[in-house]
Amino acid sequence: MKVLVIGGGAREHALCRSLSLDPDVTALHCAPGNAGIAEVAELHPVDQLDGGAVAALATGLGADLVVVGPEAPLVAGVADAVRAVGIPVFGPSGEAALLEGSKAFAKDVMAGAGVPTARSYVCTTPAEIDEALDAFGAPYVVKDDGLAAGKGVVVTGDVEVARAHALACDRVVIEEYLDGPEVSLFAICDGTTVLPLQPAQDFKRALDGDEGPNTGGMGAYSPLPWADPKLVDEVLETVLQPTVDELRRRGTPFSGLLYAGLALTGRGVRVIEFNARFGDPETQVVLARLKTPLAGVLLNSANGTLADQAPLAWRDEAAVTVVVASHNYPDTPRTGDPIEGLAEVAEQDAPHAYVLHAGTRRDGDAVVSAGGRVLSVTATGSDLAQARDRAYTAVGRIRLDGSQHRTDIALKAAGA
């Protein structure tokens, strides 16, 4: 089949890498892509928020499947525009993508579905904000209601910092703090059937020891040796299936990737947030472990035939990804710096370690930084310790002026 992937980050590079290894994929295209994706797919310029332009590109290419990677095009209804021209698309409708596009909508769906989550208030005025902050106390959890590229959440013990973030948002969700480790669980859905993938854990804070500001994610690992083996079944039963059933009941069936961000609290599993697409950087490690060819699974989701999908097969290996970010990230990052060492990783560390590009572009013969998160250096191994060693060995070969990365990704879990 011919596949078109929409997006240009490390998540899309991970998707394109997996699709390029699938024997059923005869042609692979990506729009707009990046310097790394260009090595496995043909790139096309497109405004990824313009549904008509994406649908026209897919039609012109004769695509058999379109995979929409990022959240903003999904919330903008790009998947609807592609469906309207009769091409199967992996990704929810604009209405269903509101599960990520609006925290308040997600809370309403969870209430209807009986899904366990944090108690919360939706606030639009300074008085409501003050009342909610007083009701919950520290630590304060303040979430911009809309899309914020993973950086719209502030968790702080300082009420003035919490209030300032809340006042800067048009509409804000303020909720109780959830204690306990966090887990990301993806599920492929077709509106009725829910097919969970393997869990992962990501690292949202910029600095070692979970210090510093929130980011889009600085690294991830899978599997989780410390997690209950029954966790996936429990989340499927109490969170994922009820949410998909509730959305179908409301007339907005969810087809695509449902991502549950979970807290394993002392009172049980609680949903922190939903996303309507593959998470970045967790996709990098989850797909590294998936043995089943990817294209057929995504096509079954798009066609509503997931019930016919054979059980997914997984590699026994562990996977770790480490994000190399540009100078000053997550504030306004510096871009245009040359990236060196990519060929060395390919020569010396493949196939166990490889580099997925996030914010990169070609500048003549050079690859240069073009965003905040620049690379996801990903490795597999017999266990997390080996995968981690391989990932950091490869990171050590990368040279990018002023770059930063965390040194403690999967450190505790590898020692578990």
Side-chain angles (χ1 to χ4, degrees):
M1 69 178 90
K2 292 181 182 173
V3 183
L4 169 63
V5 176
I6 302 301
R11 163 188 46 226
E12 288 76 35
H13 194 177
L15 286 163
C16 285
R17 180 180 182 273
S18 290
L19 290 165
S20 74
L21 298 172
D22 186 333
D24 288 337
V25 176
T26 52
L28 183 58
H29 302 270
C30 186
N34 62 38
I37 295 173
E39 296 174 16
V40 295
E42 185 179 338
L43 302 191
H44 305 270
V46 78
D47 177 356
Q48 56 185 350
L49 297 179
D50 183 338
V54 172
L57 175 61
T59 302
L61 293 172
D64 302 300
L65 173 68
V66 174
V67 179
V68 183
E71 59 273 25
L74 290 168
V75 173
V78 166
D80 301 278
V82 176
R83 279 193 189 95
V85 296
I87 297 174
V89 58
F90 180 78
S93 66
E95 272 191 300
L98 268 182
L99 203 59
E100 176 169 5
S102 168
K103 306 286 190 303
F105 176 74
K107 288 288 186 183
D108 188 59
V109 170
M110 283 188 267
V115 167
T117 186
R119 292 179 299 123
S120 63
Y121 293 99
V122 179
C123 308
T124 55
T125 68
E128 289 174 345
I129 288 166
D130 288 341
E131 188 181 336
L133 293 172
D134 290 344
F136 288 129
Y140 304 97
V141 181
V142 183
K143 299 180 175 182
D144 189 335
D145 180 55
L147 292 180
K151 288 173 277 191
V153 179
V154 166
V155 181
T156 178
D158 186 330
V159 70
E160 291 309 322
V161 171
R163 182 178 285 115
H165 181 63
L167 291 170
C169 304
D170 288 334
R171 185 158 79 148
V172 70
V173 174
I174 296 174
E175 62 184 40
E176 67 175 328
Y177 176 76
L178 296 175
D179 64 327
E182 294 185 15
V183 172
S184 301
L185 185 62
F186 301 159
I188 293 172
C189 312
D190 67 358
T192 302
T193 301
V194 180
L195 185 66
L197 305 185
Q198 289 286 304
Q201 187 174 58
D202 78 330
F203 294 75
K204 288 200 169 59
R205 299 282 187 160
L207 306 175
D208 284 3
D210 292 328
E211 299 289 332
N214 259 358
T215 71
M218 295 299 290
Y221 69 93
S222 179
L224 312 182
W226 48 266
D228 187 328
K230 298 193 285 281
L231 176 65
V232 173
D233 290 340
E234 180 190 344
V235 175
L236 175 62
E237 188 179 324
T238 62
V239 173
L240 299 169
Q241 192 69 57
T243 300
V244 169
D245 292 346
E246 173 69 11
L247 285 165
R248 188 175 68 253
R249 188 185 68 76
R250 291 175 178 224
T252 53
F254 190 99
S255 169
L257 195 289
L258 178 58
Y259 163 150
L262 308 164
L264 310 187
T265 77
R267 293 169 294 141
V269 173
R270 297 287 186 273
V271 175
I272 300 169
E273 64 175 355
F274 282 126
N275 291 331
R277 39 73 195 180
F278 278 105
D280 183 343
E282 300 98 320
T283 303
Q284 289 85 302
V285 292
V286 172
L287 291 186
R289 298 185 56 226
L290 180 64
K291 205 170 178 179
T292 301
L294 183 61
V297 186
L298 302 187
L299 187 62
N300 277 333
S301 165
N303 287 335
T305 51
L306 261 186
D308 302 333
Q309 174 68 44
L312 297 178
W314 296 90
R315 296 184 177 90
D316 291 333
E317 294 178 309
V320 172
T321 194
V322 179
V323 170
V324 177
S326 55
H327 178 73
N328 205 39
Y329 178 77
D331 293 324
T332 305
R334 192 174 80 202
T335 60
D337 290 314
I339 303 163
E340 298 176 334
L342 297 172
E344 292 169 42
V345 175
E347 288 165 13
Q348 300 183 51
D349 301 305
H352 302 298
Y354 48 89
V355 179
L356 297 168
H357 291 231
T360 69
R361 62 178 173 83
R362 280 221 163 266
D363 184 5
D365 292 335
V367 175
V368 301
S369 61
R373 292 187 295 174
V374 181
L375 305 168
S376 284
V377 181
T378 305
T380 55
S382 58
D383 56 21
L384 283 174
Q386 186 181 50
R388 192 174 179 279
D389 286 346
R390 287 171 169 171
Y392 278 106
T393 296
V395 168
R397 303 192 204 281
I398 304 291
R399 296 177 297 284
L400 170 62
D401 187 47
S403 69
Q404 52 174 318
H405 65 270
R406 282 184 58 159
T407 66
D408 62 348
I409 303 301
L411 181 60
K412 283 184 189 169

